[in-house]
Coordinates of all heavy atoms in Angstrom, one line a residue:
Chain B
Y260 N 68.4 62.6 127.4 CA 67.6 61.7 126.5 C 68.2 60.3 126.7 O 67.5 59.3 126.8 CB 67.7 62.2 125.1 CG 67.2 61.2 124.1 CD1 65.8 61.1 123.8 CD2 68.0 60.4 123.4 CE1 65.3 60.2 122.9 CE2 67.6 59.5 122.4 CZ 66.2 59.4 122.2 OH 65.7 58.5 121.2
T261 N 69.5 60.2 126.6 CA 70.2 58.9 126.6 C 69.8 58.2 127.9 O 69.4 57.0 127.9 CB 71.7 59.1 126.6 OG1 72.0 59.9 125.4 CG2 72.4 57.7 126.4
R268 N 64.2 51.6 128.1 CA 64.4 50.4 127.3 C 64.7 49.2 128.2 O 64.3 48.1 127.9 CB 65.6 50.6 126.3 CG 65.2 51.5 125.2 CD 66.4 51.7 124.3 NE 66.8 50.5 123.7 CZ 66.5 50.2 122.4 NH1 65.7 51.0 121.7 NH2 66.9 49.0 121.9
G637 N 62.6 58.4 116.7 CA 63.9 58.8 116.1 C 64.0 60.3 115.9 O 65.0 60.8 115.3
F639 N 64.8 62.7 117.7 CA 66.0 63.3 118.3 C 67.2 63.0 117.4 O 68.1 63.8 117.2 CB 66.2 62.7 119.7 CG 67.3 63.4 120.5 CD1 67.6 64.7 120.3 CD2 68.1 62.6 121.3 CE1 68.6 65.3 121.1 CE2 69.1 63.3 122.1 CZ 69.4 64.6 121.9
E640 N 67.2 61.7 116.8 CA 68.3 61.4 116.0 C 68.3 62.1 114.7 O 69.3 62.6 114.2 CB 68.2 59.9 115.7 CG 69.5 59.3 115.1 CD 69.5 57.8 115.0 OE1 68.6 57.2 115.4 OE2 70.5 57.3 114.4
Y641 N 67.1 62.3 114.1 CA 67.0 63.2 112.9 C 67.5 64.6 113.2 O 68.2 65.2 112.4 CB 65.5 63.3 112.4 CG 64.9 62.0 111.8 CD1 63.8 61.4 112.5 CD2 65.3 61.5 110.6 CE1 63.2 60.2 111.9 CE2 64.8 60.4 110.1 CZ 63.7 59.8 110.7 OH 63.1 58.6 110.2
D643 N 69.5 65.5 115.6 CA 70.9 65.5 115.9 C 71.7 65.6 114.6 O 72.7 66.3 114.5 CB 71.3 64.2 116.7 CG 72.7 64.2 117.2 OD1 73.0 65.0 118.0 OD2 73.5 63.4 116.6
I644 N 71.3 64.8 113.6 CA 72.0 64.8 112.3 C 71.9 66.2 111.7 O 72.8 66.8 111.2 CB 71.4 63.8 111.4 CG1 71.7 62.4 111.9 CG2 71.9 63.9 109.9 CD1 70.8 61.3 111.3
K647 N 74.1 68.8 113.5 CA 75.5 68.7 113.2 C 75.8 69.3 111.8 O 76.8 70.0 111.6 CB 76.0 67.2 113.2 CG 76.2 66.7 114.6 CD 76.6 65.3 114.6 CE 76.8 64.9 116.1 NZ 76.5 63.5 116.3
R676 N 66.0 52.1 109.1 CA 66.3 51.2 110.3 C 65.0 51.1 111.2 O 64.6 50.0 111.6 CB 67.4 51.8 111.1 CG 67.9 50.8 112.2 CD 69.0 51.4 113.0 NE 68.6 52.3 114.0 CZ 68.9 53.6 114.1 NH1 69.7 54.1 113.2 NH2 68.4 54.3 115.1
Chain C
F1342 N 80.2 55.4 120.1 CA 79.5 55.4 121.4 C 78.2 56.0 121.2 O 77.2 55.5 121.7 CB 80.4 56.2 122.3 CG 79.8 56.4 123.7 CD1 80.0 55.4 124.7 CD2 79.0 57.5 124.1 CE1 79.4 55.5 125.9 CE2 78.4 57.6 125.3 CZ 78.7 56.6 126.3
R1343 N 78.1 57.1 120.5 CA 76.8 57.8 120.4 C 75.8 56.9 119.6 O 74.6 56.9 119.9 CB 76.9 59.1 119.7 CG 77.5 60.2 120.6 CD 77.7 61.5 119.9 NE 78.0 62.5 120.9 CZ 78.4 63.7 120.5 NH1 78.6 64.0 119.3 NH2 78.7 64.6 121.4
T1344 N 76.3 56.3 118.5 CA 75.5 55.5 117.7 C 74.8 54.4 118.6 O 73.7 54.1 118.5 CB 76.3 54.8 116.6 OG1 76.9 55.9 115.8 CG2 75.4 54.0 115.7
G1345 N 75.7 53.8 119.4 CA 75.2 52.7 120.2 C 74.4 53.1 121.4 O 73.3 52.5 121.6
L1346 N 74.9 54.0 122.2 CA 74.3 54.3 123.4 C 73.5 55.6 123.5 O 72.9 55.9 124.5 CB 75.3 54.2 124.5 CG 75.8 52.8 124.8 CD1 77.1 52.8 125.6 CD2 74.8 52.0 125.5
R1347 N 73.4 56.3 122.4 CA 72.4 57.4 122.4 C 71.3 57.0 121.5 O 70.1 57.2 121.9 CB 73.1 58.7 122.0 CG 72.0 59.8 121.9 CD 72.5 61.1 121.5 NE 73.3 61.7 122.5 CZ 74.0 62.9 122.4 NH1 74.0 63.5 121.2 NH2 74.7 63.4 123.3
F1348 N 71.6 56.5 120.4 CA 70.5 56.2 119.4 C 70.2 54.7 119.3 O 69.4 54.3 118.5 CB 70.8 56.8 118.1 CG 71.0 58.3 118.1 CD1 72.2 58.9 117.8 CD2 70.0 59.0 118.6 CE1 72.3 60.3 117.9 CE2 70.1 60.4 118.8 CZ 71.3 61.0 118.4
F1349 N 70.9 53.9 120.2 CA 70.6 52.5 120.3 C 70.6 51.7 119.0 O 69.9 50.7 118.9 CB 69.2 52.3 121.0 CG 69.2 53.1 122.3 CD1 68.5 54.3 122.4 CD2 69.9 52.7 123.4 CE1 68.5 55.0 123.5 CE2 69.9 53.4 124.5 CZ 69.2 54.6 124.6
D1350 N 71.5 52.1 118.1 CA 71.7 51.4 116.9 C 72.8 50.4 117.3 O 74.0 50.5 116.8 CB 72.1 52.3 115.8 CG 72.0 51.7 114.4 OD1 71.8 50.5 114.4 OD2 72.1 52.4 113.4
L1351 N 72.5 49.4 118.1 CA 73.5 48.6 118.7 C 74.3 47.8 117.7 O 75.5 47.6 117.8 CB 72.9 47.6 119.7 CG 72.2 48.3 120.9 CD1 71.6 47.3 121.8 CD2 73.2 49.1 121.7

Side-chain angles (χ1 to χ4, degrees):
Chain B
Y260 170 83
T261 309
R268 289 177 65 96
F639 189 36
E640 193 171 358
Y641 290 114
D643 187 69
I644 293 165
K647 284 178 174 147
R676 193 179 80 240
Chain C
F1342 179 85
R1343 285 179 169 169
T1344 304
L1346 289 164
R1347 176 179 288 175
F1348 300 120
F1349 307 104
D1350 196 348
L1351 296 178

